[in-house]
Amino acid sequence: PMYSGGVLIDSEEQTNDYAEYAIILQGPLIMEHDFTLETVKLYKKLFRNIFLVVSTWEGEDGDTLRRIHAEGVDVVLNQKPAVAGPRNINLQIVSAKGGIQRAINAGATYVLKTRTDVRMYSPNTLIFLLWLLKQFPLHTKNFAQKGRLISTHGSISKWYFFPDMMVFGYAEDVRKYFDASFVASDTGTLSLNGTEVPFVPEQYFFTEFLKKIGSALACTDEDSRKAQARHALIIDPESLDWYWYKYDRHHEYWHITYRRRKRILGFSEWLILYSAYNTTR
């Protein structure tokens, strides 16, 4: 359904209390079909007592911002950095951190960072993510990390790749993931222990996170897979009834192709890595 009014839920699906959770929608407002506004309306319907934050930019449409705020949603207006960085990474750093900090200040224990152009329709989204966090705890206390980071749309072929579109976990872990330094716009590569690879934000965020928690980077295929197995958890977007406005309006399962085999990391692939590499060593 395009609008929240088209999503019907049973009263039994509203029994959970989500006062400990916060959902952050970061990025520019999606005005077409009131997509961002209708998304927060949907989340208010699905998740009782959820703390919602739209972390966007100064100068966004005032009427839409007022309508979002009228839904009981916190709005954070950030000033855009002077340098956007490659693939607008600095903009994501600012808007993600601004929203996450607002949630932490409000006392959120768990944070789900998403984007203004993403929507999750499943009423079980937050309970499902929480149980994954509980059922797959960290197997070692040697790192400055409370629990796993959970996301979708992973990659096996890129070293230390962890998606940044949707990140769920303990609030302090999610904040630590996005608490990265700005990147110069002309940065074309990322140095991984002396090896230069094309700059990819998802690798930059995750490698910086691993450094912060005290995990050394050997920069090998095996070490990359160990890091994904030990510190992260990858799920299939279908588990959340995921919809991405940028692509899914044309092709819902756009990430699946049979003409060119992509090495996508979904839950089944992650579970294999977890079983092989997730040791206490």
Side-chain angles (χ1 to χ4, degrees):
M2 189 179 297
Y3 300 103
S4 60
V7 180
L8 303 180
I9 58 174
D10 295 331
S11 58
E12 294 179 0
E13 295 176 322
Q14 293 181 302
T15 57
N16 293 312
D17 190 295
Y18 296 98
E20 291 187 287
Y21 297 76
I23 299 178
I24 316 299
L25 290 79
Q26 56 87 205
L29 300 180
I30 306 302
M31 304 293 294
E32 189 175 15
H33 305 300
D34 283 332
F35 185 82
T36 301
L37 172 62
E38 289 297 321
T39 300
V40 298
K41 286 183 177 181
L42 176 64
Y43 291 165
K44 294 289 287 188
K45 177 187 290 189
L46 295 179
F47 310 118
R48 186 165 61 95
N49 291 331
I50 187 70
F51 186 76
L52 287 175
V53 181
V54 171
S55 185
T56 188
W57 305 111
E58 295 176 350
E60 289 285 340
D61 183 71
D63 180 62
T64 301
L65 290 173
R66 285 189 290 272
R67 293 165 68 193
I68 289 173
H69 188 70
E71 294 294 326
V73 177
D74 269 43
V75 174
V76 177
L77 296 179
N78 303 283
Q79 184 177 8
K80 287 186 177 180
V83 177
R87 297 173 64 175
N88 293 324
I89 188 172
N90 296 340
L91 273 68
Q92 181 171 193
I93 290 172
V94 170
S95 56
K97 287 174 61 177
I100 294 165
Q101 191 58 55
R102 178 67 62 87
I104 289 175
N105 292 345
T109 302
Y110 311 103
V111 163
L112 171 59
K113 197 289 299 186
T114 66
R115 300 183 359 168
T116 51
D117 62 349
V118 164
R119 186 180 291 175
M120 283 155 277
Y121 284 89
S122 172
N124 297 319
T125 290
L126 295 177
I127 291 297
F128 173 63
L129 292 172
L130 177 64
W131 277 113
L132 288 173
L133 199 65
K134 300 294 187 181
Q135 293 295 324
F136 293 94
L138 298 177
H139 282 194
T140 176
K141 302 296 184 181
N142 296 332
F143 304 104
Q145 180 181 6
K146 188 171 182 180
R148 294 180 184 277
L149 296 175
I150 303 176
S151 190
T152 67
H153 297 110
S155 172
I156 296 176
S157 57
K158 294 183 177 70
W159 281 354
Y160 306 106
F161 184 100
F162 180 79
D164 59 5
M165 287 186 57
M166 183 222 90
V167 180
F168 176 82
Y170 289 103
E172 54 264 47
D173 289 335
V174 179
R175 174 173 58 181
K176 195 174 294 184
Y177 176 79
F178 287 101
D179 188 19
S181 300
F182 281 174
V183 182
S185 288
D186 60 354
T187 302
T189 61
L190 179 65
S191 179
L192 296 179
N193 200 19
T195 300
E196 298 293 325
V197 299
F199 185 88
V200 176
E202 292 89 342
Q203 289 174 292
Y204 175 70
F205 278 128
F206 195 43
T207 53
E208 291 299 299
F209 174 79
L210 293 173
K211 294 174 188 175
K212 291 190 200 80
I213 65 173
S215 179
L217 304 179
C219 297
T220 63
D221 289 344
E222 183 177 36
D223 189 64
S224 172
R225 291 165 184 169
K226 283 183 178 180
Q228 291 170 320
R230 291 174 173 174
H231 302 287
L233 197 160
I234 302 295
I235 60 174
D236 303 317
E238 294 80 13
S239 301
L240 310 179
D241 201 352
W242 168 285
Y243 179 87
W244 188 8
Y245 190 83
K246 183 176 181 179
Y247 291 115
D248 293 347
R249 56 180 168 162
H250 303 301
H251 179 193
E252 185 169 5
Y253 298 109
W254 62 271
H255 57 287
I256 298 176
T257 177
Y258 298 98
R259 297 180 180 177
R260 177 172 59 87
R261 191 64 179 169
K262 293 182 179 179
R263 301 195 69 194
I264 293 175
L265 180 63
F267 181 72
S268 62
E269 292 84 4
W270 177 85
L271 189 61
I272 292 170
L273 294 182
Y274 172 86
S275 303
Y277 294 119
N278 194 25
T279 68
T280 56
R281 297 193 300 274

